[in-house]
Each structure stands twice: as structure tokens, then as C-alpha cells.
Amino acid sequence: MYEGALQDLIDELGRLPGVGPKSAQRIAFHVLSRPREEVALLADALLDVKDNVRFCERCGNLSEAELCGICQDSRRDNTMLCVVEEAKDVGVIERTRSYRGVYHVLGGAIDPINGIGPDQLRVRELLVRVGNEPIEEIIIATDPNIEGEATATYLTRTLSTLGIAVSRLASGLPVGGDLEYADEVTLGRAFEGRRRIDAS
């Protein structure tokens, strides 16, 4: 539709996840309207993150050092290990401020249709950590979808032979949701994860 550099920018922005053609065009025109200094800061930030951010050697979280800030934090509970699919999931859990253990990032989920099995994930590294660290409980926090459930089932079977407590994040009805809009799987999970209410 456009020519040269502008169309190239729109095309590249359109490759980003969640950015459709209209959004890509809107962002490109926004970039055009900003001073060159601001655009240079954005370009520098993109190159900087690509050059300097890597995966933590221990847990697989994002880091600019060999170990991420969570792995370096001596106040964390090293007996609790939360297993997540992606590094972005660590940030989501951290924002709750209800977990003080450490993490292990798998780097994805089991997805046979796309050729992703346990060998393509950081499962081996997880087993090494379980053997070398004082872990007493593993919390599986994979996504509540088909791939996440397959991953959780595989990990539960693999880890159950090691004598370590394995738990799964509860899932069910969201706060503020209506029962009539809940699907059968979500409602079934809500029943499975129900808790006794103490009257006192």
C-alpha cells in the first residue's frame, strides 16, 4: 500500500505477535510523528535487549547476568520450586506477591502437533536441579490449556517417583465471573479444587 521504508516498517511491525495490519500501520505513523531522538531511543532499546538479555543459567528466567535476580536473592525459599512454561509467567506470578520460592522455566509446553516433546523443553535441567538442590515441593504452574495439561501430566508422572511433593495450581471460576458463562472444563476444575469453609 505504501512505498519503501514506511511499508518495510509496517511489514516488520506486522510480524510482531498481537499486531495486526491496522495496528502496524498506526504504530508506523506514530513513529513517523515522533522526534528522531525518541525513535533512536526505541531503536537503541531494541538492540540493547537483543544484545544483553539472556536466560538465567540456573532457572531459565530472563537475565542480564549469569543468574537472574530471583536466583541471586538469598531471601527466597529454595525448598519450593515453581515450574512455568515461559519467562513471562515468572513476572505474572511475582506480581501476586504470594510466592517466595524459586522458579524453573521450561521454555514452552508439550505440543506433539508442532513437534515439541519433553526433549525440546528444559525437563532434563529440572531433574538435575531436583537432584542437586534442597527442593521439598514442586508447584506445576503450566497454562490451563491442552498443551499445559499434557505438560503437567508428564511432569507429575516423571517427578512422582522422586519422593518430592508435587502440586498443581488450582484453576476454576474467576472472581467476578458468572456461573452461566463458565465452560464445562472450568466448572469441573472448580468442583475438583473446592475447599471446605470454616464457619469460625
Side-chain angles (χ1 to χ4, degrees), residues 102-127:
V102 292
Y103 295 90
H104 186 83
V105 180
L106 293 171
I110 294 173
D111 185 1
I113 292 172
N114 291 310
I116 301 171
D119 291 341
Q120 283 73 49
L121 304 176
R122 298 183 70 249
V123 175
R124 246 180 268 115
E125 292 87 342
L126 173 62
L127 296 175

Side-chain angles (χ1 to χ4, degrees), residues 83-85 106 108-111 118 121 123 126 138-160 166-169 189:
V83 179
V84 297
E85 292 180 22
L106 293 171
I110 294 173
D111 185 1
L121 304 176
V123 175
L126 173 62
I138 295 174
I139 303 163
I140 299 174
T142 53
D143 290 340
N145 55 26
I146 293 169
E147 296 80 11
E149 289 301 318
T151 306
T153 300
Y154 175 82
L155 291 176
T156 301
R157 287 183 184 149
T158 303
L159 298 167
S160 63
V166 178
S167 59
R168 175 98 165 100
L169 283 188
R189 289 277 169 71

Side-chain angles (χ1 to χ4, degrees), residues 177-190:
D178 292 326
L179 237 82
E180 65 180 302
Y181 300 117
D183 62 89
E184 292 83 8
V185 174
T186 301
L187 201 51
R189 289 277 169 71

Side-chain angles (χ1 to χ4, degrees), residues 13 38 69 79 99 107 136 170 176 184:
L13 290 169
E38 282 185 27
T79 66
Y99 178 70
E136 297 173 8
E184 292 83 8

Side-chain angles (χ1 to χ4, degrees), residues 58-122:
R58 181 179 178 208
C59 74
N61 191 14
L62 296 175
S63 178
E64 289 190 25
E66 285 183 19
L67 295 178
C68 70
I70 293 171
C71 286
Q72 291 182 44
D73 189 348
S74 60
R75 297 168 297 176
R76 303 297 293 218
D77 182 354
N78 286 297
T79 66
M80 293 180 69
L81 181 68
C82 183
V83 179
V84 297
E85 292 180 22
E86 303 287 349
K88 61 183 168 63
D89 301 328
V90 172
V92 172
I93 294 171
E94 283 297 289
R95 282 195 292 277
T96 69
R97 296 190 177 159
S98 59
Y99 178 70
R100 294 299 303 159
V102 292
Y103 295 90
H104 186 83
V105 180
L106 293 171
I110 294 173
D111 185 1
I113 292 172
N114 291 310
I116 301 171
D119 291 341
Q120 283 73 49
L121 304 176
R122 298 183 70 249

